[in-house]
Amino acid sequence: MRTITLINGDGIGPEISSAVIKIIDAAGLKIDWDVQTAGADVIEKEGTPLPERVLNSIKKNKVALKAPVTTPIGKGFRSVNVQLRKSLDLYANLRPCKNLPNVKTRFDGVDIVVVRENTEDLYAGIERQVDENSAESIKIITREASERICKFAFDYAVKNNRKEVCVVTKANIMKLSDGLFLESYRKIAEDYPTIHKCEILVDNLCMQLVQNPTQFDVLVLPNLYGDIVSDLCAGLIGGLGVAQGANIGADYAVFEPVHGSAPDIKGQNIANPTALLLSAVEMLKFIGEQSYAQKIEKALYKTLEQGVCTKDLGGSMSTTMFRDAIIANL
Ligand code: NAI
């Protein structure tokens, strides 16, 4: 039996992760979940929201499913998510954005995969106050990180039968930094003759995405543009309750929804488990459990097609009722 680290998170985390684990179990896939607590709830006892044992568990098991974790504001704690990405060198942030049945959005047929570089760019955290009236942030782009994220995007495209990988930059203005990212894309692209190439500036991409998003397939972007564009794409498919994600590195992978711990609806049994469930489906594909991934995805689609959904999508189902409807459709 495969062992996978499970971070239940806090806020709505335990409610949605319990639903997802029950669905995977009902699908017939036996997983030994190595449950690790993290976040606000463990700070008092262990002095940090991300104890070493959590990292050790992921290092041992290689793969983790993670529910959201609260980042305390103004207490000097770094975000658990940022720490996880850094400590495990999870360099690729993967966000597939695809329309779901019966989830009302502006466009049908959206099926975009955002591949965001996760380790550098303006997120390197190199900032300084120049004087009272000015500050600087340094944008770091390296050939090594750019080539590996572009290679990740092309490999993903090949593995998942995607047709095109489009690179997104502002290389007309940041000729050196974004220019290097673009140059890296062009070099890596040569190794993938079957995948269509495309280059677009980030401002034009944003306009095109809100006018005609179905023209895009896989997008590869430096960290900051990737962060912004992936939220835009989440909005295209129905918002936070359905937006899945993953952070993937050479050795480890952490699958998690885009949304946070939603303290405003904590404990009310109304949170939508779909984003975490779809993250889990992507995780199952990643570990080679394609048939279970498809089975669960099909049951989720069928449930939504039946008009059964949680409050955030306009329905009236509680988290547990929605879970049971999916289980009945497996
Ligand atoms: P949030 O994503 O938790 O909530 C934003 C809004 O969306 C809220 O109204 C919430 O009720 C709703 N929402 C989110 N997920 C939902 C779901 N599954 N079903 C139904 N409604 C849902 O963002 P917010 O409030 O800015 O952050 C809360 C905490 O979460 C913060 O401490 C933040 O640092 C943390 N956070 C953690 C993340 C992670 O662990 N990956 C990611 C983003 C935020």
Side-chain angles (χ1 to χ4, degrees):
M1 200 190 315
R2 171 114 199 194
T3 307
I4 293 176
T5 301
L6 173 67
I7 300 171
N8 277 327
D10 50 37
I12 58 168
E15 299 166 53
I16 56 173
S17 60
S18 141
V20 167
I21 300 316
K22 284 212 167 77
I23 293 167
I24 294 175
D25 195 48
L29 180 60
K30 295 288 166 243
I31 290 177
D32 176 20
W33 298 104
D34 180 2
V35 180
Q36 295 289 331
T37 47
D41 295 350
V42 307
I43 292 174
E44 217 162 272
K45 259 202 243 147
E46 303 184 55
T48 164
L50 183 64
E52 207 51 37
R53 61 173 166 75
V54 182
L55 291 172
N56 289 339
S57 164
I58 301 172
K59 283 180 183 163
K60 187 167 74 118
N61 300 322
K62 312 281 186 219
V63 172
L65 182 64
K66 178 182 162 294
V69 167
T70 304
T71 299
I73 297 174
K75 286 188 194 159
F77 289 108
R78 278 178 68 206
S79 148
V80 167
N81 309 303
V82 173
Q83 260 179 279
L84 263 181
R85 284 172 206 168
K86 278 234 153 138
S87 312
L88 302 173
D89 194 24
L90 304 173
Y91 68 86
N93 183 241
L94 182 69
R95 289 202 188 165
C97 296
K98 191 174 168 186
N99 279 129
L100 290 166
N102 264 335
V103 177
K104 265 215 158 327
T105 57
R106 278 169 210 273
F107 300 96
D108 292 329
V110 175
D111 186 3
I112 299 170
V113 178
V114 179
V115 178
R116 163 189 170 194
E117 204 289 322
N118 230 357
T119 65
E120 54 183 31
D121 196 352
L122 281 158
Y123 289 71
I126 307 171
E127 283 196 305
R128 74 179 186 112
Q129 193 78 40
V130 178
D131 58 36
E132 203 187 325
N133 300 313
S134 60
E136 288 176 351
S137 283
I138 308 236
K139 176 174 163 116
I140 307 280
I141 300 283
T142 65
R143 191 182 303 279
E144 190 190 356
S146 304
E147 286 188 2
R148 78 175 170 172
I149 195 67
C150 290
K151 183 167 181 333
F152 181 95
F154 277 102
D155 283 341
Y156 182 92
V158 170
K159 204 168 156 207
N160 293 278
N161 298 317
R162 313 291 301 212
K163 298 202 166 31
E164 180 181 273
V165 175
C166 192
V167 65
V168 185
T169 66
K170 190 77 183 165
N172 56 334
I173 304 296
M174 276 153 284
K175 294 181 196 294
L176 297 182
S177 52
D178 280 14
L180 179 56
F181 194 87
L182 180 58
E183 192 187 312
S184 305
Y185 165 87
R186 287 178 181 160
K187 180 179 168 231
I188 296 295
E190 285 174 10
D191 297 334
Y192 298 86
T194 57
I195 305 291
H196 191 258
K197 306 343 172 250
C198 139
E199 298 174 4
I200 190 164
L201 297 175
V202 65
D203 40 356
N204 182 19
L205 172 81
C206 289
M207 190 206 51
Q208 304 272 346
L209 276 173
V210 297
Q211 282 197 325
N212 178 17
T214 58
Q215 64 182 301
F216 294 105
D217 192 346
V218 177
L219 304 174
V220 63
L221 314 88
N223 207 339
L224 179 63
Y225 309 143
D227 189 12
I228 298 165
V229 166
S230 56
D231 270 31
L232 195 164
C233 290
L236 290 173
I237 56 155
L240 286 173
V242 298
Q244 59 168 308
N247 294 294
I248 299 174
D251 302 313
Y252 316 110
V254 176
F255 293 81
E256 62 174 345
V258 170
H259 64 73
S261 54
D264 55 331
I265 57 166
K266 172 188 171 179
Q268 295 176 33
N269 194 23
I270 56 169
N272 188 350
T274 301
L276 183 64
L277 184 61
L278 286 170
S279 306
V281 164
E282 195 71 23
M283 180 192 77
L284 296 181
K285 290 182 193 164
F286 184 82
I287 63 169
E289 295 288 1
Q290 258 70 18
S291 62
Y292 287 105
Q294 273 163 19
K295 186 174 173 183
I296 294 169
E297 201 169 33
K298 261 194 189 160
L300 168 70
Y301 276 45
K302 192 168 169 199
T303 308
L304 292 170
E305 273 157 17
Q306 290 164 339
V308 174
C309 62
T310 45
K311 208 171 143 195
D312 57 308
L313 299 181
S316 59
M317 292 284 142
S318 66
T319 311
T320 43
M321 283 156 83
F322 184 60
R323 171 200 73 193
D324 291 343
I326 296 171
I327 290 174
N329 281 326
L330 278 167

